[in-house]
């Protein structure tokens, strides 16, 4: 496959060299190209396919083609104006789409997945269908061009039983800034227990827990003054099920789990469950502002 890809790109004067396959799976030959274009993973992120890291995973999985050939090397330099790039059979536009930024109050029972063949049925992206349909109808009435819908994806995930703040965008680079641990953005959750919590249980949550060979420790743990059953927990990365593990390890019977803040952006109280709001430039910047991450009074 490496030879085929090299042959298809030689016409564009891309100098590719074969490299070793990724890991022990034997999939994908690496190539380093000339100075034309940008890295394939960066292009996918800029085109709103996914975050940079998720775009690399798609490439490694062999679902990305360039000029008809499968490419499994994120470093390959491409130019979407010249190269025909496909992801899972869908052709990318030659120019980046308009970037969009949304905050969703995720309901319980919805999956953070873009796959349409999931057996679960309800997907977070389904909540955007009506919004897009109304916008397209409005444009048609005004005689404006409808254009293609943006390729949306969630910034991180909430499990199917967790509700609350979920950021959705088509800007892969913005998503990467939020998700990467080195940027120090925290996530805040409200835990509702099925019973009153004790000081000993709160101390146990604060101590952290072992999970999959790693010690996970919250940034902050505090009871809510208006309810003996509610706890505020702040974590760094918000790893999958991290908060649930911390709570269960402390012997707390979890009733509900809701995320209320990502970085410096706190979900507005008037954003109802299942509703979506557009983030303006100020709100978008708030997400990345670590100075706004303090707990509310």
């Amino acid at each position: 496959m490496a030879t085929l890809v090299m042959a298809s790109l030689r016409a564009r004067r891309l100098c590719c060299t074969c490299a070793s396959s990724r890991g022990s799976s034997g999939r994908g030959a690496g190539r380093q190209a000339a100075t034309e274009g940008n890295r394939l993973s960066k292009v996918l992120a800029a085109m709103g396919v996914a975050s940079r890291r998720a775009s690399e995973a798609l490439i490694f999985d062999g679902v990305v083609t360039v000029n008809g050939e499968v490419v499994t090397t994120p470093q390959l330099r491409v130019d979407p104006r010249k190269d025909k790039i496909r992801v899972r059979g869908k052709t990318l536009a030659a120019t980046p789409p308009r970037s969009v930024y949304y905050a969703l109050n995720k309901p319980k029972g919805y999956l953070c997945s873009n796959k349409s063949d999931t057996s679960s049925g309800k997907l977070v992206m389904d909540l955007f269908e009506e919004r897009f349909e109304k916008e397209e109808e409005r444009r048609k009435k005004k005689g404006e061009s409808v254009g293609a819908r943006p390729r949306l994806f969630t910034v991180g995930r909430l499990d199917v039983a967790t509700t609350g703040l979920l950021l959705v965008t088509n800007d892969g680079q913005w998503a990467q800034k939020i998700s990467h641990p080195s940027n120090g953005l925290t996530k805040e959750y409200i835990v509702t227990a099925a019973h009153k919590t004790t000081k000993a249980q709160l101390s146990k949550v604060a101590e952290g827990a072992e999970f999959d060979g790693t010690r996970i420790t919250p940034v902050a743990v505090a009871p809510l003054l208006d309810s003996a059953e509610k706890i505020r927990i702040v974590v760094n990365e918000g790893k999958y099920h991290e908060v649930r593990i911390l709570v269960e390890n402390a012997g707390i019977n979890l009733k509900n789990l809701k995320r209320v803040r990502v970085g410096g952006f706190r979900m507005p109280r008037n954003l109802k469950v299942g509703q979506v709001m557009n983030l303006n430039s100020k709100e978008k910047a708030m997400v990345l502002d670590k100075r706004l991450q303090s707990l509310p009074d």
Side-chain angles (χ1 to χ4, degrees):
M1 183 59 70
T3 305
L4 291 174
V5 176
M6 289 170 61
S8 68
L9 298 176
R10 193 175 293 117
R12 286 187 51 243
R13 302 189 307 277
L14 290 178
C15 302
C16 302
T17 58
C18 294
S20 60
S21 60
R22 176 178 179 254
S24 60
S25 65
R27 297 196 60 187
R31 277 165 294 274
Q32 290 184 335
T35 57
E36 288 187 25
N38 290 301
R39 287 167 56 104
L40 179 57
S41 57
K42 184 176 181 179
V43 169
L44 295 187
M47 299 299 281
V49 174
S51 68
R52 184 82 68 86
R53 185 179 298 179
S55 293
E56 289 180 350
L58 289 172
I59 296 167
F60 287 134
D61 286 344
V63 298
V64 179
T65 64
V66 177
N67 300 329
E69 303 294 345
V70 174
V71 175
T72 54
T73 308
Q75 305 96 301
L76 181 71
R77 299 227 172 228
V78 296
D79 185 343
R81 296 170 300 178
K82 301 176 182 179
D83 295 311
K84 189 173 184 179
I85 305 170
R86 287 176 176 265
V87 180
R88 293 198 176 101
K90 294 184 178 180
T91 303
L92 266 62
T95 56
R98 178 178 63 91
S99 295
V100 292
Y101 308 90
Y102 299 111
L104 164 69
N105 188 346
K106 177 189 170 295
K108 185 177 293 187
Y110 282 78
L111 276 174
C112 296
S113 174
N114 293 64
K115 297 180 180 179
S116 58
D117 59 348
T118 179
S119 58
S120 305
K122 295 192 294 186
L123 303 176
V124 162
M125 295 307 160
D126 295 338
L127 299 171
F128 288 83
E129 284 300 311
E130 183 178 351
R131 186 181 190 89
F132 287 145
E133 289 172 359
K134 287 182 179 180
E135 175 65 16
E136 289 165 357
E137 187 62 29
R138 184 188 67 81
R139 287 180 174 274
K140 287 178 182 178
K141 287 181 179 179
K142 288 187 174 184
E144 299 175 352
S145 174
V146 173
R149 292 181 179 182
R151 296 169 178 257
L152 298 180
F153 55 89
T154 63
V155 182
R157 294 188 298 169
L158 292 177
D159 65 51
V160 68
T162 301
T163 65
L165 179 60
L166 185 66
L167 301 177
V168 180
T169 185
N170 63 342
D171 185 342
Q173 297 187 47
W174 184 68
Q176 179 73 359
K177 290 178 182 178
I178 298 169
S179 302
H180 203 280
S182 64
N183 291 321
L185 298 181
T186 61
K187 287 87 176 175
E188 182 179 329
Y189 295 79
I190 301 298
V191 170
T192 302
H195 51 78
K196 291 183 179 180
T197 56
T198 65
K199 289 184 178 179
Q201 287 175 323
L202 294 181
S203 297
K204 187 69 173 176
V205 173
E207 288 174 5
E210 292 289 336
F211 174 65
D212 198 21
T214 303
R215 186 75 183 176
I216 52 176
T217 307
V219 175
V221 179
L224 265 65
L225 299 179
D226 61 348
S227 175
E229 294 82 25
K230 292 186 177 181
I231 311 168
R232 190 185 310 276
I233 299 179
V234 179
V235 295
N236 272 319
E237 294 185 48
K239 294 177 180 177
Y240 196 57
H241 290 321
E242 178 177 358
V243 176
R244 291 182 180 276
I245 292 165
L246 289 169
V247 170
E248 291 171 3
N249 184 65
I252 298 173
N253 187 5
L254 181 63
K255 185 178 179 181
N256 288 308
L257 180 59
K258 179 181 181 180
R259 185 161 69 186
V260 295
R261 178 179 61 76
V262 174
F265 180 78
R266 188 172 297 276
M267 185 170 66
R269 291 182 181 273
N270 61 355
L271 187 64
K272 297 178 181 179
V273 176
Q275 283 190 336
V276 177
M277 64 175 283
N278 284 301
L279 295 182
N280 57 35
S281 57
K282 180 180 178 181
E283 292 162 336
K284 174 189 165 189
M286 287 173 66
V287 176
L288 300 172
D289 192 342
K290 290 187 285 188
R291 297 171 300 175
L292 302 176
Q293 294 189 143
S294 60
L295 292 176
D297 296 330

